[in-house]
Amino acid sequence: MRFTEFNFHPDLLEGITASNYENATPVQEQVIPPILEGRDVIASAQTGTGKTAAFLLPVMNKLLKHHVDGQTGALIVVPTRELAIQISQHIEGLSYFTHLSSIAIYGGSGGDNFIAEKKALQAGADIIVCTPGRMIAHLNMGYVNMKGLQFLVLDEADRMLDMGFQDDINKIIKTLPAKRQSLLFSATMPDKIRKLARTILHDPAEVNIAISKPPEKIVQKAFVVHEPQKLPLVIKLLKESTYKNALVFCSRKHTVKQLTRELKRAKLNVAEIHSDLEQAERENVLSAFAGGRIPLLVATDILSRGIDIDTIDLVVNYDVPEDGEDYVHRIGRTARAEADGTAYTLIGDKEHNRFAAIERLLEKEVEKAAVPPELGPAPAYHPRRNDGNKRGKRTFHRGNRARPGRKGN
Ligand code: AMP
């Protein structure tokens, strides 16, 4: 479905075009119409599905039509500073040709920031994106005017509850007008989210864009390592495993090339596949792989979807993929049909949080296997669970200040 079919305000449509969006993603197609109709919505959708624009666009469209100067029209509550910044950048891009203003409030101990935030809040930003703790600090001071609020959005609600923000969310909601539209987005839908939804939403439209879970029969293990331990570990795993076909995934083609060189040096029969190869070369590599002439393939995510070779019995993630959906697709290359499969993931020093996000999505913890002692001491698994609301930063923009958003971030 094309964005021109939603009947959006022309200024908003211009921002959509400038952001290089042409067709709505599935979550956008399902979420935008009920929001435009005025309904509450509960949606299960992960990062990467286009969920942010799915709520921003209809909210912005309605604010453009029923704008009250000096009054906040939408409050978007999110778990982390990073997400607040990301959403705020989305707003900047999409609202570039409109007069809508927004502010991101995401914690900080600095008095200067607090005063600047206070001023912006008193001026009345059309859209506020916030983490719960900092917003409450402002609400407690009594100068935030929520009388004109039309929309409440809770994004990544499951993560907010995991991080212990339930009470803060309830406190924020108490300050809002009862007559409003509420939208709840969550990657997963455990019972506690359904319970929260019952207290906040009225007769919501339900949208489910959940990714499928990987088959249970795939044995998943992860190794927590320092970056320099990755190469010796992957060589050891490949040399000591028995497999018909093994796929090693790397997020970047540069890493694919480098790793393939090292594996060849280690005398493994290996080929590489990535977007630098011509279509014909890719097909040759794939047929050598499927036919068993080359049992081991190092690949970027171009292979994580679609490839269906039922003799793949081992997948190794040399790095942790950016989002959970890629992880599910990558490891889903093994254990096709009736075959069994094993999936190993190497978690580097900077990848703990990313892997924890995947575990949340899978709703299970992946077993952390022992790193062979000859590779030296390995680190402990220590994902960060709070939003690190330590340093504060403020963004406030009105209309045409920023450049339109980019397509990828
Ligand atoms: P999100 O799931 O909201 O984090 O969005 C994932 C990425 O997709 C972001 O970089 C968006 O800018 C981009 N995106 C969102 N909607 C569309 C669309 N309809 N067409 C192309 N890119 C999009």
Side-chain angles (χ1 to χ4, degrees):
M1 185 170 180
R2 297 181 72 81
F3 280 108
T4 41
E5 293 171 54
F6 286 114
N7 209 8
F8 282 138
H9 191 288
D11 295 348
L12 188 57
L13 207 50
E14 235 182 303
I16 295 171
T17 310
S19 299
N20 287 323
Y21 300 173
E22 262 178 48
N23 294 306
T25 65
V27 69
Q28 291 163 356
E29 230 176 277
Q30 292 186 51
V31 160
I32 292 172
I35 301 180
L36 289 176
E37 280 166 25
R39 292 191 64 184
D40 284 1
V41 168
I42 177 168
S44 77
Q46 288 80 35
T47 301
T49 54
K51 68 179 169 69
T52 315
F55 61 76
L56 284 182
L57 289 171
V59 164
M60 289 162 88
N61 194 63
K62 291 189 109 179
L63 292 182
L64 280 170
K65 287 194 177 147
H66 311 284
H67 175 259
V68 187
D69 216 15
Q71 298 229 335
T72 293
L75 180 68
I76 302 169
V77 189
V78 305
T80 63
R81 168 168 56 198
E82 290 75 17
L83 188 58
I85 295 169
Q86 205 177 300
I87 293 178
S88 160
Q89 286 169 345
H90 254 81
I91 299 173
E92 279 183 27
L94 294 170
S95 70
Y96 185 69
F97 299 98
T98 74
H99 55 73
L100 293 175
S101 64
S102 68
I103 179 171
I105 291 177
Y106 42 89
S109 49
D112 285 354
N113 280 333
F114 199 89
I115 291 164
E117 283 172 9
K118 177 180 169 185
K119 275 192 185 150
L121 285 170
Q122 282 172 323
D126 294 305
I127 306 172
I128 297 175
V129 188
C130 66
T131 51
R134 183 69 160 207
M135 192 63 214
I136 287 189
H138 283 291
L139 286 168
N140 284 344
M141 309 287 281
Y143 45 72
V144 184
N145 178 3
M146 290 292 183
K147 285 201 190 79
L149 191 101
Q150 300 172 49
F151 294 97
L152 167 70
V153 182
L154 300 180
D155 193 17
E156 299 202 355
D158 49 352
R159 214 164 152 202
M160 288 204 274
L161 295 196
D162 282 352
M163 288 165 70
F165 285 141
Q166 170 99 53
D167 288 348
D168 287 354
I169 292 170
N170 291 341
K171 273 188 210 153
I172 292 174
I173 290 174
K174 280 209 181 94
T175 70
L176 308 179
K179 192 173 171 306
R180 57 164 200 267
Q181 227 177 310
S182 301
L183 317 170
L184 186 152
F185 286 74
S186 189
T188 56
M189 281 294 158
D191 281 349
K192 55 186 178 182
I193 290 290
R194 301 229 162 249
K195 222 167 123 197
L196 175 74
R198 278 196 292 276
T199 65
I200 296 176
L201 308 175
H202 300 285
D203 184 28
E206 280 207 34
V207 172
N208 193 341
I209 307 283
I211 58 166
S212 51
K213 297 264 158 64
E216 282 297 324
K217 62 183 176 174
I218 301 176
V219 178
Q220 301 176 56
K221 285 186 184 171
F223 294 86
V224 184
V225 288
H226 293 302
E227 225 43 59
Q229 294 174 312
K230 280 191 171 181
L231 180 62
L233 178 59
V234 81
I235 292 174
K236 191 172 167 60
L237 289 173
L238 291 169
K239 287 203 163 171
E240 292 179 1
S241 308
T242 45
Y243 54 84
K244 279 193 191 136
N245 278 112
L247 253 179
V248 182
F249 280 108
C250 307
S251 296
R252 301 169 55 198
K253 58 188 169 203
H254 173 72
T255 320
V256 168
K257 293 175 191 175
Q258 238 175 8
L259 180 60
T260 309
R261 260 198 312 276
E262 294 296 337
L263 296 181
K264 280 183 179 158
R265 201 169 290 161
K267 304 272 181 291
L268 286 155
N269 183 6
V270 58
E272 64 189 51
I273 193 161
H274 45 74
S275 59
D276 279 357
L277 302 187
E278 298 292 334
Q279 186 60 28
E281 287 175 294
R282 282 193 223 172
E283 280 166 19
N284 284 342
V285 170
L286 272 181
S287 83
F289 181 61
R293 271 174 288 131
I294 300 176
L296 174 60
L297 194 55
V298 184
T300 54
D301 281 297
I302 58 170
L303 269 206
S304 72
R305 288 157 207 251
I307 181 180
D308 194 2
I309 295 174
D310 56 18
T311 46
I312 298 173
D313 41 11
L314 176 64
V315 166
V316 180
N317 293 312
Y318 193 68
D319 48 36
V320 178
E322 282 291 334
D323 64 64
E325 208 167 343
D326 284 337
Y327 178 84
V328 174
H329 284 290
R330 283 182 180 190
I331 74 167
R333 295 313 100 204
T334 184
R336 313 293 289 175
E338 298 308 309
D340 290 331
T342 304
Y344 295 136
T345 302
L346 276 47
I347 306 172
D349 296 309
K350 293 185 178 153
E351 298 175 314
H352 293 211
N353 293 344
R354 210 187 288 167
F355 196 72
I358 290 171
E359 289 182 312
R360 269 198 302 277
L361 194 71
L362 301 174
E363 294 177 310
K364 78 178 222 180
E365 271 182 34
V366 174
E367 183 193 332
K368 311 296 175 305
V371 175
E374 63 268 31
L375 299 186
Y381 184 51
H382 56 79
R384 194 162 50 98
R385 289 196 70 84
N386 60 32
D387 73 346
N389 256 351
K390 299 251 162 47
R391 274 168 292 130
K393 199 179 151 205
R394 186 190 66 91
T395 58
F396 183 65
H397 72 93
R398 190 168 278 278
N400 298 351
R401 282 229 188 126
R403 286 191 49 73
R406 307 147 321 277
K407 192 170 177 193
N409 49 20

